[in-house]
Amino acid sequence: MLGFLKKPVVVTAEINVNVVALTVMGLISRLWGLSYPRAVVFDEVYYGQFISLYMKRIFFVDDSGPPLGHMLLALGGYLGGFDGNFLWNRIGAEYSTNVPVWSLRLLPALAGALCVPLAYQILVELQLSHCAALGAALLILFENSLITQSRFMLLESVLIFFILLAVLSYLKFYNVQRHSSFSGSWWFWLLLTGAACSCAVGVKYMGLFTYMLLLAMAGLHFWHMIGDQNISNVSLMCHFLARGLALVIIPMAMYLSFFYVHLALLYRSGPHDQIMTSAFQASLEGGLARITQGQPLEVAYGSQITLRNVLGKPVQCWLHSHTNTYPIRYENGRGSSHQQQVTCYPFKDVNNWWIVKDPGMQQLVVSNPPRPVRHGHIVQLVHGITTRYLNTHDVAAPLSPHSQEVSCYIDYNISMPAQNLWRVEILNRESDTDVWKTILSEVRFVHVNTSAVLKARGFIGASLPEWGYRQLEVVGEKLAKGYHQSMVWNVEEHRYGKSQEQKEREVELHSPTQMDISKNLSFMAKFSELQWKILTLKTEDTEHKYSSSALDWITMDTNIAYWLHPTSGAQIHLLGNVVTWTSANVAALGYVCLSLWYLIRRRRKIYDIPEGAWQLWVSAGGLCLGGWAVNYLPFFLMEKTLFLYHYLPALTFQILLIPVVLQHLSEHLCRSLLLKSMFSALIVAWFSSIYFVYRTFSPVTYGEPSLSVTELKALRWKDSWNILIRKQ
């Protein structure tokens, strides 16, 4: 029974020396001198701010993409003991001693290093020779632009790592499926494909391009399975459900989990939460939550409220009035009602308070028990300090002559009666009897007499002149002009009014709210709002010194100066290996031309290469060229400031195409021994030139050694390159 103890337990393992060697070389090329320079390098000034906010648990919104990439960078800071105390305000600023530079740059460098063996493995799974796969890995290894981008607190190397991991995982899954569907390894590689795709999208939305490509490949392969009569209907359904689970459901769940962790970490209020709704702000520790704690939930007749415009652009603002009136005549000669001004004011102020009044009663206090206001109820809004009623009429607004003026009514004993009845419409109601709720309800006010909707003119240029203290214009907009967020308001601060006398009420309005309501939004509500803000928040795009167009990238007519030593000529640039970039373009062009030639010949029933070679040419080349296309062509449709580093994911796929084309040429076009020998010699010379260019530009890839003016001028191989040369 215990006979197995008589023999030793032996564990055997296969080690691919090529993979190990490539991994070691990748690590050396990316990790060598990683903490140099000990200064802020280009976009580290941007991402570093978010790392500090993570360390301090302060909420932020970044419109550049989802939070996974930021969290991975912050993980490096956490592991290095970073406390978040550094002022990220200038490229080139020296890091203080509390900033763990090596740790912060470690994860992008590791991701960049692992791209080297991943490239090798991908070409092996595409059924190319180990020699071709080794060539692809060396091309990635000696690509200067990929080295530069992976050695700093930047996200492109992390994005490329997850993209390549997703491609490799799907290829392994596809190859395993040929002989063992639903095995352990089959499930592992399928699930890893979905997870890697989710991570790629979670780092940057550019990862969505490769995700769509792999989904298209999976759909095409499944379509071919449908035509296989040897596969039963039940088995087909199982395959379909497995792919749906692994490639759609799980990636979506992982994507949600990134936001869950992000929101769990960032629970404190900060400057970025001002663009979020009042409900979201109230869910954060500090800030608005300190003000709104314990407020009554239901708005009732007699409630004292502040009304925040939901749009929040160009700044957040609250419905406001003051004793000043509109001028009798504007600068353009148009007349006004000379009524009390109503504006949208971007600061908290006692003049932001309004009282919700029942038109059928005179009291301005909450009854006992309170009578809640519901959807569709008619109310009057009384300005708390001046006690004048919110009013609109058929008089042109000061800046918007096609909209109605909104004012607080003053009785001048002229033929201009008060029109101060407003219907409350709760837009996010669940039923037509919903109660108007503090913070949660998004409402619009429809004027009973004219059907105009209360609207804040939320854009730059909507500020009133000096007589309106540069505050934002508020108008009555016709419903026929359509829905807009600037027509939506929510109650932010709220108290039940107790004082009927004006003097006592003014004291009450000046005092802080004392009751507290703890509003906890659900995760899905917070996720939906944050996701919408990320997708719709547009920072003002400005022309950058190193911005470029997508056409400039193919021929590398542009570069980016990442860092310049304050005293010497040492500097770092995002510059690619010219030979590699040119070869990638030639390979892509050659692949397209040769494919068209083969297609035309095959149409004429002329088969120049065996069917197996044709299938390899289509599948391997199609994946690489397709990966380049989906990661490059969409930039021609984007209205954003573009930089050379946006091209790196597409470049990676294009580099993988080079060995595909070279192996095909060697096996099928170089048919004599002499041609094969000459072709091999050319390959050796070509690789030597790639290494030569890599070494030549290493000083501006790694930032050392420092170069003289003459040496720097010698590196300006193109007139469009901006190599920095100090004036003597």
Side-chain angles (χ1 to χ4, degrees):
M1 183 175 177
L2 300 178
F4 71 93
L5 295 176
K6 297 178 181 180
K7 295 182 180 181
V9 177
V10 179
V11 177
T12 59
E14 291 185 3
I15 298 176
N16 189 324
V17 178
N18 285 352
V19 172
V20 174
L22 289 170
T23 303
V24 171
M25 288 191 290
L27 290 171
I28 293 173
S29 67
R30 270 63 174 177
L31 294 178
W32 178 80
L34 190 60
S35 58
Y36 179 85
R38 194 175 172 81
V40 179
V41 176
F42 199 62
D43 269 355
E44 286 187 339
V45 73
Y46 177 75
Y47 292 111
Q49 300 175 49
F50 302 130
I51 295 173
S52 288
L53 291 173
Y54 271 117
M55 297 300 104
K56 298 178 179 180
R57 304 294 190 266
I58 295 175
F59 176 78
F60 68 86
V61 179
D62 178 24
D63 64 341
S64 68
L68 177 61
H70 300 77
M71 289 193 292
L72 291 175
L73 294 180
L75 176 62
Y78 174 78
L79 295 176
F82 183 40
D83 57 10
N85 292 320
F86 183 76
L87 186 60
W88 308 86
N89 63 347
R90 181 173 59 85
I91 297 174
E94 291 290 326
Y95 284 121
S96 53
T97 55
N98 69 307
V99 181
V101 181
W102 191 87
S103 178
L104 285 167
R105 294 173 177 170
L106 177 61
L107 287 177
L110 288 176
L114 292 176
C115 288
V116 177
L118 282 176
Y120 172 86
Q121 291 282 67
I122 286 173
L123 263 67
V124 169
E125 293 300 321
L126 284 171
Q127 311 304 318
L128 270 78
S129 67
H130 285 271
C131 185
L134 186 63
L138 292 177
L139 289 173
I140 299 293
L141 177 68
F142 295 130
E143 175 47 47
N144 299 71
S145 61
L146 294 177
I147 295 174
T148 300
Q149 199 68 16
S150 63
R151 287 174 49 80
F152 304 107
M153 283 179 273
L154 307 171
L155 293 180
E156 276 66 32
S157 64
V158 182
L159 171 64
I160 294 170
F161 166 76
F162 283 122
I163 286 175
L164 294 183
L165 180 61
V167 171
L168 174 62
S169 301
Y170 183 78
L171 291 174
K172 281 186 171 290
F173 154 76
Y174 180 72
N175 290 331
V176 167
Q177 180 178 279
R178 295 177 177 178
H179 52 80
S180 58
S181 294
F182 300 106
S183 63
S185 59
W186 185 92
W187 275 110
F188 174 79
W189 291 115
L190 179 60
L191 292 171
L192 186 57
T193 302
C197 287
S198 183
C199 290
V201 177
V203 171
K204 279 197 168 187
Y205 284 127
M206 288 169 59
L208 193 62
F209 303 145
T210 303
Y211 181 34
M212 292 295 105
L213 176 66
L214 291 179
L215 284 180
M217 288 178 58
L220 181 62
H221 292 155
F222 184 73
W223 180 255
H224 290 157
M225 290 179 65
I226 294 175
D228 189 346
Q229 297 297 319
N230 296 320
I231 303 177
S232 67
N233 293 337
V234 174
S235 181
L236 273 177
M237 180 57 67
C238 291
H239 275 282
F240 178 78
L241 293 176
R243 285 161 172 77
L245 172 67
L247 300 181
V248 179
I249 304 300
I250 290 179
M252 290 176 62
M254 287 185 61
Y255 183 77
L256 287 173
S257 72
F258 302 150
F259 280 87
Y260 184 87
V261 175
H262 174 73
L263 291 169
L265 291 173
L266 307 181
Y267 58 85
R268 291 177 179 155
S269 173
H272 288 204
D273 63 336
Q274 300 300 316
I275 63 173
M276 309 303 288
T277 62
S278 300
F280 195 105
Q281 292 184 50
S283 69
L284 299 172
E285 181 183 294
L288 183 62
R290 291 182 298 177
I291 299 173
T292 59
Q293 288 180 350
Q295 293 184 154
L297 176 61
E298 296 183 347
V299 177
Y301 291 109
S303 286
Q304 299 170 359
I305 62 175
T306 63
L307 290 166
R308 180 181 185 264
N309 190 258
V310 169
L311 180 64
K313 294 180 182 180
V315 292
Q316 61 173 351
C317 64
W318 292 264
L319 189 66
H320 175 94
S321 186
H322 39 242
T323 56
N324 300 70
T325 59
Y326 292 111
I328 297 175
R329 291 205 173 274
Y330 301 123
E331 290 84 348
N332 58 9
R334 288 192 297 110
S336 79
S337 66
H338 199 45
Q339 300 281 341
Q340 183 172 301
Q341 296 174 19
V342 172
T343 64
C344 207
Y345 189 52
F347 302 99
K348 294 185 181 296
D349 187 84
V350 70
N351 281 309
N352 298 346
W353 284 92
W354 300 81
I355 302 169
V356 181
K357 180 182 175 297
D358 184 346
M361 303 180 67
Q362 290 301 315
Q363 67 181 38
L364 296 177
V365 295
V366 176
S367 59
N368 190 16
R371 292 185 301 123
V373 180
R374 299 181 183 274
H375 170 74
H377 280 192
I378 306 299
V379 301
Q380 292 172 312
L381 294 176
V382 182
H383 187 239
I385 295 299
T386 64
T387 66
R388 293 197 170 112
Y389 290 60
L390 186 70
N391 185 86
T392 188
H393 40 213
D394 192 17
V395 175
L399 301 181
S400 311
H402 298 292
S403 302
Q404 292 179 189
E405 174 193 88
V406 174
S407 63
C408 279
Y409 183 74
I410 302 175
D411 188 1
Y412 289 120
N413 293 319
I414 58 176
S415 57
M416 186 179 288
Q419 299 182 42
N420 50 32
L421 299 179
W422 300 85
R423 183 172 65 255
V424 176
E425 294 185 354
I426 304 174
L427 300 181
N428 58 342
R429 66 186 182 277
E430 295 180 358
S431 72
D432 287 343
T433 59
D434 268 15
V435 174
W436 184 7
K437 295 183 178 68
T438 304
I439 292 178
L440 300 179
S441 294
E442 295 183 350
V443 304
R444 67 181 177 191
F445 299 97
V446 181
H447 191 236
V448 173
N449 299 78
T450 64
S451 297
V453 180
L454 188 69
K455 174 183 177 180
R457 291 261 290 169
F459 58 87
I460 297 172
S463 299
L464 296 169
E466 289 295 337
W467 53 259
Y469 302 102
R470 300 293 177 186
Q471 296 172 18
L472 294 179
E473 182 187 37
V474 173
V475 301
E477 190 75 88
K478 293 295 184 182
L479 266 175
K481 294 191 176 180
Y483 165 83
H484 193 267
Q485 274 195 311
S486 57
M487 298 177 175
V488 185
W489 306 80
N490 70 270
V491 173
E492 188 169 271
E493 296 180 67
H494 178 208
R495 63 161 68 88
Y496 282 163
K498 300 177 182 178
S499 305
Q500 183 67 35
E501 295 297 324
Q502 175 62 14
K503 292 293 184 183
E504 296 176 4
R505 190 162 56 245
E506 286 188 19
V507 174
E508 192 175 31
L509 291 170
H510 278 89
S511 64
T513 52
Q514 297 175 350
M515 296 166 290
D516 196 4
I517 178 172
S518 180
K519 288 293 358 132
N520 291 320
L521 285 181
S522 67
F523 162 69
M524 287 307 298
K526 295 175 74 173
F527 163 75
S528 300
E529 181 176 342
L530 179 56
Q531 179 68 87
W532 179 251
K533 289 294 183 184
I534 291 174
L535 294 176
T536 59
L537 184 65
K538 297 295 182 184
T539 53
E540 196 172 338
D541 285 336
T542 55
E543 194 68 24
H544 191 280
K545 180 180 180 181
Y546 292 106
S547 62
S548 54
S549 70
L551 282 175
D552 296 329
W553 303 340
I554 297 181
T555 53
M556 203 169 61
D557 285 334
T558 182
N559 71 304
I560 304 176
Y562 271 10
W563 172 79
L564 174 66
H565 193 279
T567 56
S568 72
Q571 52 194 276
I572 295 174
H573 289 259
L574 182 66
L575 266 176
N577 190 309
V578 177
V579 178
T580 302
W581 286 52
T582 304
S583 303
N585 292 330
V586 172
L589 182 62
Y591 179 85
V592 172
C593 293
L594 200 53
S595 297
L596 289 174
W597 171 254
Y598 284 149
L599 285 171
I600 293 171
R601 300 266 291 175
R602 290 171 71 86
R603 189 66 177 169
R604 301 292 296 172
K605 307 299 183 183
I606 302 172
Y607 301 98
D608 299 289
I609 57 177
E611 187 61 25
W614 168 251
Q615 293 298 331
L616 175 63
W617 175 255
V618 171
S619 59
L623 172 63
C624 297
L625 190 66
W628 170 81
V630 299
N631 283 284
Y632 174 57
L633 298 180
F635 286 103
F636 288 96
L637 304 176
M638 294 184 185
E639 295 181 359
K640 59 180 288 185
T641 305
L642 300 177
F643 295 92
L644 181 61
Y645 56 73
H646 287 128
Y647 185 60
L648 296 183
L651 173 70
T652 303
F653 278 99
Q654 201 178 23
I655 289 175
L656 297 181
L657 181 62
I658 298 175
V660 175
V661 174
L662 291 179
Q663 178 174 316
H664 184 83
L665 294 177
S666 175
E667 292 181 349
H668 301 287
L669 297 185
C670 300
R671 302 189 176 181
S672 68
L673 184 61
L674 177 61
L675 283 176
K676 286 184 179 292
S677 300
M678 292 177 60
F679 189 77
S680 299
L682 286 174
I683 294 296
V684 172
W686 171 70
F687 253 115
S688 300
S689 66
I690 289 174
Y691 182 75
F692 170 77
V693 173
Y694 159 74
R695 291 295 302 168
T696 300
F697 284 89
S698 287
V700 293
T701 298
Y702 293 94
E704 53 184 0
S706 176
L707 300 180
S708 65
V709 173
T710 303
E711 290 171 322
L712 288 171
K713 288 181 177 179
L715 291 181
R716 188 177 285 169
W717 288 12
K718 290 191 174 186
D719 293 335
S720 56
W721 290 357
N722 188 13
I723 305 295
L724 303 178
I725 299 175
R726 295 185 182 277
K727 294 181 179 179
Q728 300 297 318

